[in-house]
Amino acid sequence: MVEYLTFLAISTAIFALFALGLNLQWGNTGLINFGHVAFMTLGAYTTVLLSLQGIPLLISAITGAIVAALLGLIIGFATLRLREDYLAIVTIGVGELIRLVVNNQELPVRDTWVSGAFGVQSYPIPFLSTPPNLFLRLVMMGLLTVLALATFWGLWRWVRAAQKSLLADARKTDSKKQELVSRLGVGIIFALLTTAIYISGLIGLYDDQPAAGLMLLSLLVLGFVFWRLEVLVQSPWGRVLKAIREDEEVPKAVGKNVFAYKVQSLMLGGAIAGIAGALFAWQLSAIYPDNFQPQLTFDAWIMVILGGSGNNIGTILGSVIFFTYDAMTREFLPRIFTNLSSDQLGAFRIMVIGLILMVLMIWRPQGILGKKDELTLGK
């Protein structure tokens, strides 16, 4: 049970990070990116190939993020001066192009060249190549405790802010009441999840499980990126991005370089996806081109839409819901529909989540925590 919960925590953290990059590009800036997996692919392969050449893992991961950001720069210069639909078309093509190039290209693995179709294995992984000693494990347990406390404190402040907003509203509008209720419910869910992850993390770190170390690393990276994104989107830079999303002619009229802001958003979102790619490669322990199918991009879109466009907490909530659904359907559907094959069950799971999205779009098009004025499509 502890191992499975650790696996789910790692997967959720990695794809929450992946989806945060997309949310910055689409939810905050209005850039339609249907090839987000391309950034993850570059981040994963750059990190793995550099680490096989003896470069430290941290430097390899940072380099992978930089390479992914450079891809965003190239795509931006090629498409962002054109209409929005060109960006959507180009990103789809780039995502598949990079996967096919990796699949058909020979890759430098240590002292030889290996076909990309055979994948890359036996590369260094944090906490597996060099297991931590007792002192380092105690430090890691302390970091996990600090992270859990910071999460509880952040959730309390987040719910308290909605309560203060409601008390300050003399009319006590329904929207303010709904926001408080939704924040309280989400806060309770996140608090329970944090408690479960904290306990399983402590057990895993004490037992010297490498997966527990990777879980801590993934959660720390997710927490840091989330914190910095929250600061950025509330800064003047973030307000310009939202103005571009609403109507880019307005920031142009006040002298803002809209093209430069779009490129910066595309690059930063790509770098975040590149970091997620490095963590994804470490989780898999062996990567193949087929690990980076276009489906991953649309999974990220599902997470952003579920939680609410333009809302970072909503994106993390969407990731939690997505992986909860994924885990539950993998566990219970084969027991309910015993006459269906594995392929049929996979198709059925996709159909069901598509139906859930359709219902959500009718009932609450802005997502669970989103706001209607944060919608980017259809304007």
Side-chain angles (χ1 to χ4, degrees):
M1 182 64 183
V2 171
E3 291 82 0
Y4 187 59
L5 185 58
T6 301
F7 168 78
L8 286 179
I10 296 171
S11 300
T12 304
I14 291 172
F15 278 88
L17 191 64
F18 183 54
L20 282 174
L22 179 63
N23 187 52
L24 175 66
Q25 296 168 347
W26 177 57
N28 293 108
T29 319
L31 302 177
I32 304 175
N33 179 3
F34 289 149
H36 198 49
V37 71
F39 302 108
M40 173 181 267
T41 307
L42 280 183
Y45 272 91
T46 301
T47 302
V48 166
L49 294 176
L50 288 179
S51 63
L52 283 171
Q53 303 302 321
I55 297 176
L57 289 175
L58 178 61
I59 297 176
S60 298
I62 293 174
T63 306
I66 293 172
V67 171
L70 290 177
L71 175 64
L73 178 65
I74 295 170
I75 294 175
F77 271 99
T79 62
L80 289 181
R81 295 189 188 276
L82 305 174
R83 296 203 320 260
E84 291 178 352
D85 48 354
Y86 284 98
L87 175 63
I89 294 169
V90 168
T91 51
I92 291 175
V94 169
E96 273 298 275
L97 176 65
I98 290 178
R99 187 180 68 85
L100 292 174
V101 167
V102 171
N103 189 62
N104 294 280
Q105 183 68 39
E106 290 192 346
L107 305 174
V109 179
R110 293 189 174 91
D111 297 329
T112 185
W113 291 79
V114 177
S115 173
F118 295 152
V120 183
Q121 304 90 21
S122 303
Y123 47 80
I125 298 175
F127 311 110
L128 182 62
S129 306
T130 54
N133 55 33
L134 178 60
F135 174 75
L136 185 55
R137 294 206 305 273
L138 291 175
V139 171
M140 293 166 65
M141 293 168 70
L143 284 174
L144 183 62
T145 302
V146 171
L147 183 61
L149 292 175
T151 302
F152 287 128
W153 179 70
L155 289 172
W156 180 83
R157 287 190 59 192
W158 184 59
V159 175
R160 181 65 176 165
Q163 184 183 23
K164 288 182 178 179
S165 177
L166 178 63
L167 293 175
D169 185 2
R171 295 177 298 172
K172 302 292 189 295
T173 59
D174 289 340
S175 62
K176 292 290 181 67
K177 293 178 182 178
Q178 291 176 0
E179 182 180 8
L180 176 59
V181 171
S182 61
R183 286 197 181 191
L184 183 60
V186 171
I188 292 172
I189 292 172
F190 275 132
L192 293 174
L193 286 174
T194 301
T195 303
I197 292 171
Y198 175 67
I199 294 173
S200 64
L202 286 181
I203 295 172
L205 290 171
Y206 183 79
D207 292 340
D208 196 16
Q209 298 176 5
L214 183 59
M215 182 190 75
L216 174 61
L217 178 61
S218 302
L219 292 173
L220 285 172
V221 173
L222 175 62
F224 177 78
V225 171
F226 170 79
W227 168 51
R228 295 314 303 167
L229 280 178
E230 283 290 284
V231 173
L232 279 175
V233 297
Q234 295 174 19
S235 70
W237 183 80
R239 289 194 289 271
V240 172
L241 293 187
K242 290 186 178 182
I244 293 171
R245 180 194 65 197
E246 300 298 326
D247 185 355
E248 65 180 60
E249 296 301 322
V250 174
K252 279 182 182 178
V254 295
K256 300 297 182 181
N257 188 338
V258 169
F259 175 75
Y261 278 93
K262 285 183 176 181
V263 171
Q264 291 167 20
S265 175
L266 197 60
M267 291 179 67
L268 182 55
I272 294 171
I275 296 172
L279 294 169
F280 190 48
W282 291 336
Q283 183 193 30
L284 293 176
S285 72
I287 55 173
Y288 300 87
D290 285 346
N291 293 135
F292 303 94
Q293 294 283 350
Q295 180 64 38
L296 296 185
T297 295
F298 295 100
D299 289 345
W301 275 91
I302 290 170
M303 296 170 196
V304 173
I305 292 171
L306 277 175
S309 169
N311 190 306
N312 291 323
I313 295 181
T315 298
I316 297 177
L317 175 63
S319 305
V320 171
I321 294 173
F322 180 87
F323 277 97
T324 301
Y325 166 84
D326 184 78
M328 291 181 65
T329 52
R330 286 182 189 275
E331 177 69 22
F332 295 112
L333 277 185
R335 302 180 183 180
I336 299 173
F337 301 98
T338 56
N339 58 329
L340 296 181
S341 66
S342 58
D343 291 340
Q344 290 173 325
L345 285 172
F348 183 74
R349 291 168 60 243
I350 295 175
M351 289 171 57
V352 171
I353 200 167
L355 178 63
I356 292 172
L357 280 176
M358 290 171 59
V359 172
L360 181 65
M361 290 299 96
I362 296 171
W363 169 62
R364 193 174 177 84
Q366 69 271 33
I368 297 173
L369 292 180
K371 299 178 181 178
K372 286 189 176 180
D373 56 3
E374 298 281 342
L375 293 177
T376 56
L377 293 178
K379 290 191 175 183

